[in-house]
Amino acid sequence: MDIYTQYKYEKKWTKTSEKDALRIIEEEMPETDASGTLMYILGEIAKGKTVTLAECRFKDSI
């Protein structure tokens, strides 16, 4: 599965590795469990949904 991210101020979606997605989650929501949040995001984007976390959105395909 591919992960694509887009900050609210960006127009393009960017392909992101799981390592970078973890870093983004830690930056956006430092008080949460980043790996648990990533597992939730991966589960939701696998269903075709777009997940918004603070200023960043995640989805599976462009």
Side-chain angles (χ1 to χ4, degrees):
M1 171 188 332
D2 294 328
I3 304 171
Y4 289 89
T5 57
Q6 178 188 47
Y7 284 94
K8 289 185 177 180
Y9 55 83
E10 295 177 329
K11 294 185 189 237
K12 289 178 58 180
W13 288 90
T14 305
K15 189 172 181 179
T16 306
S17 67
E18 284 192 26
K19 181 180 174 183
D20 287 335
L22 275 173
R23 180 187 51 78
I24 291 169
I25 294 166
E26 289 171 352
E27 288 174 1
E28 294 292 320
M29 303 288 282
E31 69 281 354
T32 63
D33 172 31
S35 60
T37 304
L38 179 60
M39 291 299 112
Y40 168 77
I41 290 171
L42 291 175
E44 292 302 305
I45 66 174
K47 298 174 190 175
K49 296 182 179 183
T50 300
V51 178
T52 302
L53 182 69
E55 296 291 316
C56 189
R57 297 188 294 177
F58 298 83
K59 71 178 185 174
D60 183 23
S61 61
I62 309 178

